[in-house]
Amino acid sequence: SRNSDVVENSLVVCTRIMSIYIILLAAIALMVILIRKKVPIGPAILAGGLLIWLALDRRPASLWAAFKSMVTMPRSYDLLFALYFVVCLEIEMRKSGILNGLVQYLHHLIPSKKVTLAVMPAFLGMLPSIGGARFSAPIVKTVAEGQDISNESKALINFWFRHIMEFANPIVPGILLTCAIANVSVSSLIVHMLWVSAAMFIIGWFFFVAPLKIVEPTKEPSDEMLAKYRIDFILALLPIFGVFALSMAFGLAASVSLLIIVGLLYPVLRLLKRDVSLKEIFVGAVEKKLLRDVVMILYFIQLLDASGALNQIVASFHASVLPLPLILAFISFLIGMLTGMSQGHVAMMMPIVAAVAHGSLDLIGLVLVFGVGGQMVTPTHVCLMISLDYFKADFFKTLKKCICAEAVLLIIFSVVSYLTWAG
């Protein structure tokens, strides 16, 4: 009788585990079908979220709870206003000629356009502004101008290289949250993970940059033009370092830091007689489709929590008999796909890592790499959506190449981890 009860309980647990994953696969399939039918990414993702809600919950109160959570979370407004002011800053820099001057001066400093294409998004990715792919995208576009580069390649370069420092940047929210929960030092984690960032850069180079046929500039600008480009280069870097300084020194939110920088740059441009009208800046920065899609993605993330989907995924972890690293990798990847944010999978998984293997850099690294891996292959990742929207790139062509590159990174990481595992 006792054995039959154990078997019955095991069957119930297995049924629940299978049920949640079948529901998630159905939701993902619905998203893919809708995107193939040319439905915008935001509504397609929200449709998947509503399917999960119908399968797991079906209570109107949960829909309201998810909406209430979204509109009361400071992160939602920080993301939306950060995106808006990033576009304001980009308009200021583009209309005043700063952006073109930056690229021209970079050609002088770095003769290879291929290197510039890879390095600039990576450099701007050091500043973890939410949705910051919108800031690096115009630079990639300017560098690639006149070259035979597809929209998908430009979107991939912008998206991929922007995220190579997810494992080695001391001000990335995911890194800071990881260290706080797992009680490890930022420096020790970065030393442990730095090789992953280097591997991601190399993989991105061979997949996305090396195959490009680039015509390098042969004509050097005059001394007068070079002096102008040098000023543009300085003017372009100052806002970046300004946002970095405001965020670090004063702990300001990304949106507030960007607002201050946009406000300070305007009078500077007027003094330099590079007027850009306020209407062009603040009205031109309203991108309704982008804001609509971002709001729907934020609602989808809260719907996962309100419907109990995330809790069921974590519960399936506790019920499984598979090896711990394998379970952590799979669930981190899945939560990374569902949330599209490093804070999402870190907040869900790191407490478990802290409880079962306190201070294990191997397990922490595993959760980070597979969680970010999930982020890199999902339409819920705001930076991917922004890159696709900006370059008008095909979703499936872009994602297919990104999946291939990410698979190589995860395989390399898995092999290295297996050979060097300390725990």
Side-chain angles (χ1 to χ4, degrees):
S1 175
R2 188 175 179 180
N3 288 338
S4 64
D5 288 343
V6 171
V7 171
E8 187 177 344
N9 289 336
S10 298
L11 287 172
V12 170
V13 169
C14 289
T15 302
R16 287 177 179 173
I17 291 171
M18 290 299 293
S19 176
I20 182 62
Y21 290 121
I22 289 170
I23 291 167
L24 291 175
L25 287 173
I28 292 169
L30 176 61
M31 293 179 198
V32 170
I33 291 168
L34 291 175
I35 292 171
R36 279 195 176 277
K37 296 289 185 181
K38 306 300 181 184
V39 174
I41 289 176
I45 290 171
L46 183 56
L50 291 172
L51 177 62
I52 293 171
W53 169 76
L54 282 171
L56 295 178
D57 194 299
R58 293 188 293 277
R59 294 177 302 158
S62 297
L63 293 176
W64 173 248
F67 178 78
K68 187 177 176 182
S69 180
M70 180 190 71
V71 299
T72 56
M73 286 182 67
R75 185 184 71 188
S76 300
Y77 298 100
D78 188 37
L79 171 57
L80 292 170
F81 283 108
L83 282 173
Y84 173 72
F85 289 122
V86 161
V87 180
C88 288
L89 184 60
E90 184 263 321
I91 291 171
E92 284 182 318
M93 295 175 69
R94 176 166 47 84
K95 294 286 187 179
S96 65
I98 290 174
L99 202 58
N100 180 66
L102 164 69
V103 172
Q104 296 300 328
Y105 194 69
L106 282 172
H107 290 335
H108 172 71
L109 293 178
I110 310 171
S112 171
K113 280 195 172 188
K114 285 187 176 182
V115 174
T116 305
L117 275 172
V119 168
M120 280 310 295
F123 170 69
L124 293 173
M126 290 289 289
L127 184 65
S129 171
I130 305 172
R134 184 59 178 77
F135 186 52
S136 53
I139 296 177
V140 171
K141 181 182 178 182
T142 305
V143 175
E145 201 159 354
Q147 305 290 336
D148 185 21
I149 303 175
S150 68
N151 291 339
E152 288 73 30
S153 291
K154 287 181 275 192
L156 277 166
I157 289 168
N158 185 58
F159 176 61
W160 182 272
F161 286 99
R162 178 170 174 78
H163 293 90
I164 67 168
M165 296 305 289
E166 286 282 333
F167 315 104
N169 187 347
I171 63 169
V172 166
I175 292 284
L176 295 174
L177 188 58
T178 293
C179 294
I181 295 173
N183 196 27
V184 297
S185 69
V186 173
S187 58
S188 62
L189 181 60
I190 288 176
V191 169
H192 185 74
M193 299 296 296
L194 188 59
W195 76 270
V196 184
S197 289
M200 192 171 178
F201 184 92
I202 293 167
I203 290 168
W205 179 271
F206 282 105
F207 268 82
F208 310 134
V209 179
L212 298 177
K213 294 179 180 179
I214 298 287
V215 179
E216 302 291 354
T218 55
K219 185 180 178 181
E220 278 289 318
S222 64
D223 291 342
E224 183 182 350
M225 290 304 297
L226 193 59
K228 177 187 177 298
Y229 294 153
R230 189 180 295 114
I231 293 171
D232 290 330
F233 178 75
I234 294 169
L235 287 172
L237 292 185
L238 283 176
I240 298 167
F241 289 117
V243 174
F244 186 91
L246 289 171
S247 300
M248 290 297 293
F250 301 101
L252 297 179
S255 55
V256 177
S257 301
L258 283 161
L259 170 60
I260 293 170
I261 295 301
V262 167
L264 290 175
L265 184 59
Y266 180 75
V268 171
L269 293 177
R270 295 208 64 174
L271 285 172
L272 294 172
K273 296 182 179 179
R274 298 191 187 190
D275 288 356
V276 182
S277 76
L278 289 172
K279 184 178 179 180
E280 280 183 309
I281 298 169
F282 292 105
V283 176
V286 178
E287 298 187 356
K288 295 178 182 178
K289 291 180 181 179
L290 176 62
L291 295 175
R292 174 204 63 199
D293 288 347
V294 171
V295 168
M296 289 185 172
I297 288 173
L298 290 173
Y299 186 55
F300 167 81
I301 293 168
Q302 296 309 312
L303 201 54
L304 289 175
D305 190 34
S307 66
L310 291 179
N311 287 334
Q312 288 197 36
I313 293 169
V314 175
S316 72
F317 160 82
H318 292 294
S320 178
V321 294
L322 294 172
L324 179 65
L326 185 62
I327 302 167
L328 288 173
F330 176 73
I331 298 182
S332 296
F333 185 87
L334 185 59
I335 295 175
M337 279 191 68
L338 290 171
T339 62
M341 293 183 181
S342 60
Q343 297 96 315
H345 66 82
V346 166
M348 294 292 292
M349 299 305 297
M350 282 306 164
I352 299 172
V353 174
V356 299
H358 177 67
S360 170
L361 290 175
D362 288 321
L363 280 179
I364 292 169
L366 182 83
V367 169
L368 277 177
V369 171
F370 276 86
V372 172
Q375 290 174 234
M376 295 297 290
V377 296
T378 175
T380 63
H381 192 160
V382 174
C383 287
L384 176 59
M385 186 194 67
I386 289 170
S387 297
L388 292 169
D389 179 72
Y390 185 85
F391 292 106
K392 302 297 182 286
D394 181 87
F395 172 79
F396 291 100
K397 289 180 182 177
T398 306
L399 194 62
K400 182 180 177 181
K401 293 180 181 179
C402 194
I403 289 172
C404 292
E406 189 59 43
V408 171
L409 178 64
L410 293 180
I411 290 169
I412 291 172
F413 176 81
S414 299
V415 171
V416 172
S417 296
Y418 179 79
L419 296 174
T420 61
W421 196 272

